[in-house]
Amino acid sequence: MAKDGSTAAADGTTAGSGDIARSLELLWGGGERPSRGPKPGLTLDRIVTAAVAVADAEGLPAVSMRRLSTELGTGTMSLYRYVPGKAELLDLMLDRVLGEPLSAEPDRPAGADGTPGDWRVAIDAMAHTYLDNLRRHPWLLKINQARTVLGPSALRGLELALSALRSMGLRDPELIGVIITVNSFVEGLARTQGDAAEAVAQTGLSDEQFWDSQRPYLERAMLSGAYPMMAGMSEDTFSADFDHFEFGLQRLIAGFEALVQERTAERTADPTAAPATEPTTDRTTDPTAEPTPDLTAERT
């Protein structure tokens, strides 16, 4: 049982399952120096970098304090001076990889004249960037991020996404809904692609070999007349050349476009209506305000 009352998965794949206070200190720069011993050449940055590299190469189960001590050429106990354990290390790893795409992002997404950029372009870029990140770090899809400890990279990514989408003119909950919808779509497709690659590695059969083994049975089924819709589909129906990601993403953007037009029409019909984005209540001076919504699903 973790200190916050949650139970971590056996392989440590539950984010936010360790000492949350310690993770926050490490993420926000409050406790990255060792608490005792001589000043070593080891740093928290090196530990997190090594952990990400091991996870990228061999998967998250391969990440352990013992393995990292070998990679870094130090004693296992030395690592514990910097990070309490794998659960807290996972929080740091998450924030590290979430921050990778941000280095190429401007602080304020805008056009050359300083006006907000096109939200359609922003959504397209957001989706492709997230897909690329999941492909670089496939272990991200193995993590339960329902209760992610939010660090600087996670918050800055969310800030940039909201800034890029503000020109949609939607209410704040709807903007969060846009981000959740796009991220969920990307994760679903990336998981399908990752599972396919994993199946090849585990079985030694290529996709072509797998489907060829079923071909005689499927052909008889199609000739039986029991599946007229499938039997009548074109030969290129399941072609690998069809870009399902781009198809789905553009349909999502088209759907958001319809919503934006709907909201614009509503404001035109009722000029006295409140603006779509209302000022955020200052909870530092209003103790009766609603609690801050859970934003752990918004991984930008």
Side-chain angles (χ1 to χ4, degrees):
M1 184 73 70
K3 293 185 179 181
D4 67 341
S6 63
T7 302
D11 61 354
T13 56
T14 301
S17 63
D19 185 337
I20 296 178
R22 184 62 176 142
S23 289
L24 289 169
E25 288 177 354
L26 294 170
L27 284 166
W28 291 96
E32 64 179 273
R33 295 183 63 84
S35 58
R36 59 186 183 278
K39 184 177 180 180
L42 195 61
T43 64
L44 185 61
D45 181 74
R46 285 187 62 204
I47 295 171
V48 176
T49 298
V52 170
V54 171
D56 288 347
E58 303 176 35
L60 201 59
V63 178
S64 68
M65 303 302 271
R66 183 183 297 276
R67 172 64 184 276
L68 293 179
S69 68
T70 300
E71 294 289 327
L72 295 167
T74 187
T76 303
M77 294 308 297
S78 297
L79 301 181
Y80 289 106
R81 296 178 180 177
Y82 291 85
V83 60
K86 183 173 178 178
E88 294 80 9
L89 179 60
L90 178 57
D91 292 332
L92 303 179
M93 292 167 64
L94 274 173
D95 203 65
R96 166 67 64 83
V97 299
L98 289 177
E100 288 178 355
L102 303 181
S103 60
E105 294 284 346
D107 289 333
R108 182 172 61 89
D113 58 354
T115 59
D118 190 328
W119 61 264
R120 304 162 193 79
V121 175
I123 289 179
D124 186 89
M126 183 191 310
H128 281 90
T129 297
Y130 191 31
L131 180 63
D132 290 343
N133 211 16
L134 292 175
R135 285 172 172 170
R136 285 195 304 273
H137 309 291
W139 51 271
L140 283 172
L141 292 169
K142 305 294 185 180
I143 298 174
N144 180 347
Q145 297 189 52
R147 299 179 66 181
T148 303
V149 178
L150 297 177
S153 294
L155 288 187
R156 182 167 179 257
L158 181 57
E159 177 73 14
L160 286 172
L162 291 171
S163 297
L165 301 179
R166 70 187 184 277
S167 62
M168 296 178 77
L170 302 180
R171 296 172 53 243
D172 289 347
E174 292 174 332
L175 289 178
I176 296 298
V178 169
I179 296 173
I180 292 176
T181 300
V182 173
N183 284 350
S184 297
F185 165 72
V186 174
E187 288 172 5
L189 187 135
R191 181 170 286 106
T192 298
Q193 294 178 343
D195 288 346
E198 193 171 300
V200 172
Q202 290 177 346
T203 65
L205 290 176
S206 66
D207 285 341
E208 185 178 49
Q209 292 171 322
F210 176 77
W211 292 112
D212 280 347
S213 67
Q214 300 185 61
R215 189 180 302 279
Y217 299 91
L218 295 176
E219 288 178 345
R220 286 199 297 270
M222 295 303 102
L223 293 173
S224 70
Y227 310 96
M229 286 297 299
M230 295 192 65
M233 298 181 83
S234 63
E235 293 184 359
D236 66 345
T237 298
F238 299 103
S239 171
D241 295 332
F242 188 83
D243 192 338
H244 291 279
F245 177 78
E246 198 62 36
F247 173 81
L249 177 58
Q250 295 310 314
R251 303 295 74 73
L252 281 180
I253 293 176
F256 293 139
E257 177 82 62
L259 177 61
V260 169
Q261 292 176 356
E262 179 182 324
R263 291 290 182 269
T264 301
E266 290 173 354
R267 289 193 294 273
T268 301
D270 184 7
T272 64
T277 304
E278 301 176 356
T280 302
T281 302
D282 184 356
R283 292 179 176 81
T284 61
T285 58
D286 182 6
T288 65
E290 293 285 342
T292 303
D294 181 3
L295 302 182
T296 57
E298 284 69 75
R299 297 177 298 282
T300 57

